[in-house]
Amino acid sequence: MSSLLSDLSQKLHLHNDQEAIDLAINHFNISHQPYNDLFEYLLLLSESNNNNNMNLLNCLIHSFFQWKTQSNKTIAIPHIDENLISDLILKKLPIKFLQDFCEIFKISKDNLLFLLRTLIFYPLNSPSYKRALNIIVKFNYQLEFSPDEILLPLILQTKDHLIHVYMDKKPQLEGYVLELLDYLYEGGGKKIREILSNQFNIRNLNLNKKALGKLAVRYWNILGNEQTEKYPNLSTLQHRRTLSYLINVKYFENIEEKTMSDEAWNELIEEIILGNNDLSDYFIELLVDKDDIVAVRYWIAWLNRPEYTLPPWV
């Protein structure tokens, strides 16, 4: 470690923060290449993210900003090896310092986005991908990427934790996630592969529709706030899952272990499907799958559905 870093480390250890800042500012004042010095220190300290190095990084960056504000010198930013810059941004420099780093070394938004796009095609569980996502969130760049670049892969692979990282508790992004899920479940989820292929050029996907459906309903329940008109497909999806559950209750429960009376079951069904042809069609389809012709006839009569309004397979 250089003598400057040793001296700074000692002062910070003794909680003499202002003395450390003054020492660093003085170094940049007398240096013939302050930008190069700072960059070399950042490279060195980023090799290990221990607490001492984090404190030194914070001190140096804070001091450099103060030096720039106080200095009367006009010093051009020198050319620095792009590979070293990329290495710091994409691998080494703690994310909390990246915004300051980009400001000091004039890393443009376009350049940063270009670098980040080199990482988002890594496996979603890889450290490189997670770092890229956290940088994107830090800079609030989520909407700079198309759905098929970040959000759709997270949704389709049901990466709950990373989706929450992506949303960052921002209502706009939470709404964006719900809108995309609602779009995917147009037509009750029967068009998902078609939508992915035609709209997002995603094909040959090993899609777990059951897990995806659970995720969609989960986010609808957490974030939807019962906005049925805004997210009608998610609302319907939840009801479809409830109907499937009720069918399982009726047709797979042991009679001796029955948890719901027929009257209560019928009331729940009526509440869900009344006035909704899509849900009533789905419910009748479930009954047909159980070969319960008596129930099919009963519910068609109860719904008072004219024959021409029923699906052709009924």
Side-chain angles (χ1 to χ4, degrees):
M1 184 179 290
S2 74
S3 59
L4 173 64
L5 294 183
S6 296
D7 292 342
L8 290 176
S9 181
Q10 184 177 7
K11 291 185 181 298
L12 292 172
H13 181 70
L14 296 173
H15 303 290
N16 295 326
D17 293 9
Q18 189 56 51
E19 289 185 19
I21 289 172
D22 292 341
L23 180 62
I25 290 174
N26 183 60
H27 172 84
F28 294 130
N29 264 327
I30 63 178
S31 173
H32 296 296
Q33 48 181 18
Y35 281 94
N36 297 75
D37 289 355
L38 176 64
F39 192 85
E40 289 178 10
Y41 290 140
L42 297 183
L43 278 177
L44 178 63
L45 294 170
S46 296
E47 291 296 333
S48 175
N49 290 338
N50 59 55
N51 192 55
N52 183 56
N53 283 12
M54 294 289 282
N55 289 335
L56 286 168
L57 284 166
N58 185 63
C59 175
L60 284 166
I61 290 173
H62 184 65
S63 302
F64 196 87
F65 274 117
Q66 284 199 30
W67 167 77
K68 280 188 65 179
T69 302
Q70 298 170 9
S71 176
N72 295 321
K73 300 177 182 178
T74 301
I75 301 177
I77 299 174
H79 174 75
I80 296 175
D81 189 317
E82 292 182 0
N83 291 325
L84 293 177
I85 290 177
S86 175
D87 199 47
L88 265 182
I89 292 174
L90 299 182
K91 296 180 181 179
K92 295 180 178 179
L93 188 66
I95 292 174
K96 65 181 292 185
F97 300 120
L98 274 178
Q99 287 178 315
D100 290 336
F101 175 82
C102 289
E103 182 177 345
I104 289 170
F105 291 97
K106 304 301 181 188
I107 309 299
S108 70
K109 179 179 179 179
D110 287 344
N111 192 13
L112 182 57
L113 288 172
F114 173 80
L115 291 174
L116 292 171
R117 280 190 165 90
T118 66
L119 294 187
I120 60 173
F121 296 105
Y122 277 66
L124 302 189
N125 289 327
S126 68
S128 294
Y129 181 90
K130 292 177 181 178
R131 178 175 173 86
L133 181 60
N134 279 290
I135 294 172
I136 289 165
V137 171
K138 178 72 174 177
F139 282 80
N140 196 27
Y141 283 172
Q142 292 95 314
L143 297 181
E144 299 294 333
F145 294 82
S146 61
D148 56 293
E149 287 183 296
I150 296 181
L151 186 53
L152 260 178
L154 294 179
I155 287 174
L156 296 175
Q157 296 188 44
T158 60
K159 297 296 184 181
D160 265 300
H161 170 66
L162 296 180
I163 294 171
H164 279 281
V165 171
Y166 175 93
M167 294 189 296
D168 196 30
K169 298 181 180 179
K170 291 184 170 64
Q172 180 188 13
L173 294 171
E174 292 172 350
Y176 183 53
V177 170
L178 288 176
E179 287 170 10
L180 186 55
L181 286 169
D182 192 72
Y183 180 57
L184 289 177
Y185 276 92
E186 182 181 338
K190 295 180 180 179
K191 299 180 180 178
I192 290 179
R193 291 190 181 277
E194 179 184 336
I195 291 171
L196 291 174
S197 176
N198 295 341
Q199 300 298 321
F200 302 105
N201 199 30
I202 297 176
R203 300 180 176 87
N204 303 319
L205 178 69
N206 185 17
L207 183 64
N208 186 333
K209 296 186 78 170
K210 184 176 181 180
L212 181 59
K214 287 182 178 179
L215 180 141
V217 169
R218 189 159 58 249
Y219 281 101
W220 160 250
N221 288 330
I222 296 171
L223 306 172
N225 298 317
E226 298 183 0
Q227 299 178 79
T228 303
E229 292 185 3
K230 192 172 184 180
Y231 309 112
N233 299 323
L234 292 181
S235 175
T236 298
L237 177 65
Q238 183 184 40
H239 289 314
R240 287 167 70 99
R241 290 180 63 83
T242 302
L243 288 172
S244 296
Y245 168 76
L246 290 173
I247 286 289
N248 287 333
V249 167
K250 184 174 182 66
Y251 289 92
F252 291 102
E253 271 195 341
N254 190 309
I255 295 177
E256 296 177 355
E257 299 175 355
K258 201 169 185 179
T259 58
M260 187 183 302
S261 68
D262 290 341
E263 292 78 9
W265 190 87
N266 286 348
E267 287 178 6
L268 283 173
I269 296 294
E270 291 170 7
E271 184 178 336
I272 293 170
I273 67 175
L274 184 62
N276 190 314
N277 285 353
D278 288 339
L279 287 174
S280 60
D281 287 349
Y282 178 69
F283 174 60
I284 292 171
E285 182 180 350
L286 292 175
L287 293 174
V288 170
D289 287 343
K290 301 304 175 191
D291 292 325
D292 193 341
I293 304 304
V294 173
V296 170
R297 289 174 176 169
Y298 169 82
W299 284 103
I300 288 177
W302 183 87
L303 288 164
N304 196 25
R305 291 277 300 275
E307 185 176 337
Y308 67 86
T309 68
L310 295 170
W313 43 261
V314 175

